[in-house]
C-alpha cells in the first residue's frame, strides 16, 4: 500500500493524512482491520511508526510555535501600544509642515513601523527567541524590550528631534524609546518569573539541606536576592526571562 500524502506547513509532506486524524486507539483498531484484510505486518508497522512519528513532530512544532508566540508577543505588544500612542499624537499636528513637533513624531512613527516589521520577520523564521536573536546579533539587554532592536544612532537621531521641540507650559514632553511595557505583559512575565525562580529556590534549599556547602548556601542566598529584585520591579518595567538579568 503506497502512502498518500498532502502538504502541511512543514516543508516535508504528511504521509497517511487520513490516519493522522485518528486517536491512538482508533489508529490501532484501523490497522488491526487492515491486517485482518491481508495487509502485511511489515506494512502495518511502517504505517503505525510513520503516523506516530509525525504526530510527535507536529506536537513538538505546536509547542515551539506557542512558546514563540508568547516570547515575541511580550516584545511586540508594548511596541504596538507605543505606535498607537504616536498615531494619536499625530492627529493633533499643526498644519505647518515645518512644525518640529509633527516632524519628530512622524520620524518616530517611521522608525517604529520599521522595527515592528523587522521583529515580525525575525519571529516568522521560527529560528530565534528574542534572547537568542539578541545573543546572535549582540543586542543589548538580551533583547528584553523592543527598544533593544533599534540601533543607538537611530535612537539618538530621533531623541534629538524631540529635544528640538519648543517648550510648552504644562505640556507633557514625549520621551521616545521609553523602556516600558503594558501592565498585562508586565504582570504575566513577572508571574512566570516568580514561579520559575521560586521552584529553583525550593530545589536549592533541598540540595543545601541534603548536602550543605558554601556553594549551596551561596546559591540559596542568590535566589533569595533575585526574588526580592523581581518583586521590586516597577509596574511598567520590562521583566527578563530569567532572574540572571536582575542581579
Amino acid at each position: 500500500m503506497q502512502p498518500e500524502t498532502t502538504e502541511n506547513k512543514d516543508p516535508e509532506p504528511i504521509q497517511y493524512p487520513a490516519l493522522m486524524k485518528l486517536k491512538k486507539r482508533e489508529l490501532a483498531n484501523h490497522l488491526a482491520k487492515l491486517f485482518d484484510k491481508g495487509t502485511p505486518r511489515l506494512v502495518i508497522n511502517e504505517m503505525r511508526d510513520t503516523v506516530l512519528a509525525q504526530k510527535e513532530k507536529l506536537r513538538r512544532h505546536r509547542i515551539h510555535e506557542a512558546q514563540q508566540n508568547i516570547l515575541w508577543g511580550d516584545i511586540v505588544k508594548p511596541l504596538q501600544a507605543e505606535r498607537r500612542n504616536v498615531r494619536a499624537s499625530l492627529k493633533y499636528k499643526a498644519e505647518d509642515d515645518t512644525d518640529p513637533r509633527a516632524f519628530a513624531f512622524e520620524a518616530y512613527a517611521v522608525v517604529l513601523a520599521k522595527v515592528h516589521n523587522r521583529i515580525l520577520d525575525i519571529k516568522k523564521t521560527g529560528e530565534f527567541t528574542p534572547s537568542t536573536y539578541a545573543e546572535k546579533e549582540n543586542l543589548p539587554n538580551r533583547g528584553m524590550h523592543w527598544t533593544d532592536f533599534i540601533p543607538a544612532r537611530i535612537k539618538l537621531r530621533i531623541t534629538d528631534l524631540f529635544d528640538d521641540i519648543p517648550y510648552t507650559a504644562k505640556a507633557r514632553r514625549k520621551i521616545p524609546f521609553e523602556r516600558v511595557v503594558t501592565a498585562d505583559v508586565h504582570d504575566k512575565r513577572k508571574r512566570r518569573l516568580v514561579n520559575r525562580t521560586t521552584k529553583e529556590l525550593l530545589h536549592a534549599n533541598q540540595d543545601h539541606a541534603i548536602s550543605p556547602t558554601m556553594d549551596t548556601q551561596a546559591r540559596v542566598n542568590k535566589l533569595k536576592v533575585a526574588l526580592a529584585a523581581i518583586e521590586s520591579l516597577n509596574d511598567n518595567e520590562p521583566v527578563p526571562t530569567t532572574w540572571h538579568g536582575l542581579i
Side-chain angles (χ1 to χ4, degrees), residues 2-71:
Q2 294 298 318
E4 56 176 317
T5 63
T6 187
E7 291 297 323
N8 191 43
K9 287 185 179 180
D10 287 337
E12 299 178 7
I14 291 293
Q15 299 184 33
Y16 311 112
L19 301 186
M20 291 290 291
K21 299 175 183 178
L22 302 179
K23 296 180 180 179
K24 193 171 184 179
R25 174 56 61 184
E26 293 172 335
L27 176 64
N29 292 338
H30 179 79
L31 295 178
K33 290 178 181 178
L34 290 180
F35 181 71
D36 292 340
K37 292 179 180 179
T39 304
R41 172 59 67 185
L42 286 176
V43 174
I44 295 292
N45 289 346
E46 188 277 333
M47 294 172 69
R48 178 200 63 207
D49 294 346
T50 298
V51 169
L52 293 180
Q54 289 178 156
K55 283 178 175 286
E56 176 61 16
K57 183 177 180 181
L58 289 174
R59 185 187 72 84
R60 292 177 179 273
H61 176 73
R62 285 192 292 268
I63 292 173
H64 173 76
E65 197 171 54
Q67 185 68 8
Q68 289 278 321
N69 288 337
I70 290 171
L71 295 175

